[in-house]
């Protein structure tokens, strides 16, 4: 009886961070990983024992050097993305972060994973967007604080 060995496919948890400046949002062009050459929010995989907020702050610091003073939960999605080279199942936590210094500039600290960062008008986003962000845009998600926030 031949043992059927197969890669165990498990859902993974990603944390994506909205950093807003006026009506613009910070996006980077992903490279060499899932979603290659697409525009994505900074963020990454939840590591063992981390809170959502700790992960968001860590990934933002690692990838952009930005320091944040406040980070809050916005929403979560759970989706199997079939279109990626191999199907990926991600629970994605979306957070919103306020910069300690609103004028602090980002640095692209992981040029091997990100072609470049930039501020993009939410009402005129570049394409193609990384699939978790694309899905949020398609359902009309609004990441900006409402007056009551
Ligand atoms: C796919 C995504 C929702 C979660 C993983 O993000 P990522 O590839 O940016 O991960 P890292 O920043 O941790 O390398
Ligand atoms: Mg990262
Ligand atoms: Mg990342
Ligand atoms: Mg990571």
């Amino acid at each position: 009886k031949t043992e059927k060995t197969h890669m165990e496919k498990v859902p993974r948890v990603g944390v994506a961070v909205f950093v807003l400046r006026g009506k613009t949002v910070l996006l980077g062009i992903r490279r060499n990983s899932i979603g290659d050459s697409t525009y994505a929010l900074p963020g990454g995989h939840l590591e063992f024992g981390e809170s959502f907020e700790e992960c968001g702050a860590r990934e933002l610091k690692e990838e952009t050097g930005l320091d944040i003073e406040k980070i809050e939960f916005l929403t979560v999605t759970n989706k199997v993305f079939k279109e990626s080279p191999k199907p990926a199942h991600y629970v994605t936590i979306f957070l919103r972060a306020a910069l300690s210094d609103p004028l602090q500039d980002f640095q692209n600290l992981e040029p091997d994973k990100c072609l470049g960062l930039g501020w993009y008008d939410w009402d005129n986003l570049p394409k193609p967007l990384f699939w978790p962000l694309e899905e949020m845009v398609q359902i009309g998600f609004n990441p900006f604080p409402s007056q009551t926030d």
Side-chain angles (χ1 to χ4, degrees):
K1 155 167 155 339
T2 53
E3 281 302 308
K4 212 163 123 327
T5 54
H6 58 279
M7 282 290 287
E8 176 66 20
K9 293 201 76 53
V10 291
R12 300 194 68 186
V13 180
V15 174
V17 185
F18 281 97
V19 183
L20 306 173
R21 177 175 279 182
K23 284 294 283 174
T24 68
V25 62
L26 182 63
L27 298 176
I29 305 172
R30 294 174 65 86
R31 56 187 302 220
N32 303 337
S33 69
I34 42 179
D36 188 56
S37 308
T38 63
Y39 289 82
L41 297 167
H45 291 97
L46 188 70
E47 291 177 2
F48 188 83
E50 274 186 321
S51 71
F52 296 152
E53 294 75 11
E54 285 162 346
C55 176
R58 175 185 54 75
E59 285 289 345
L60 195 63
K61 186 71 180 165
E62 280 177 5
E63 298 181 351
T64 72
L66 290 172
D67 300 300
I68 56 174
E69 75 182 5
K70 195 164 69 93
I71 191 159
E72 55 195 314
F73 174 83
L74 289 184
T75 191
V76 58
T77 60
N78 172 26
K79 197 158 187 275
V80 178
F81 296 92
K82 296 189 178 55
E83 59 277 15
S84 61
K86 52 187 192 304
H89 180 176
Y90 272 89
V91 172
T92 306
I93 314 291
F94 290 88
L95 306 176
R96 178 171 58 219
L99 299 182
S100 309
D101 167 7
L103 298 179
Q104 182 189 0
D105 245 336
F106 55 74
Q107 301 162 269
N108 183 9
L109 299 178
E110 296 182 340
D112 59 319
K113 293 169 84 172
C114 175
L115 211 52
L117 291 159
W119 298 101
Y120 294 91
D121 183 344
W122 180 254
D123 298 326
N124 185 17
L125 290 172
K127 295 216 169 306
L129 296 178
F130 184 34
W131 24 258
L133 181 58
E134 175 63 33
E135 189 193 41
M136 298 307 285
V137 170
Q138 282 180 8
I139 63 173
F141 182 72
N142 172 14
F144 294 88
S146 60
Q147 299 324 317
T148 52
D149 267 354

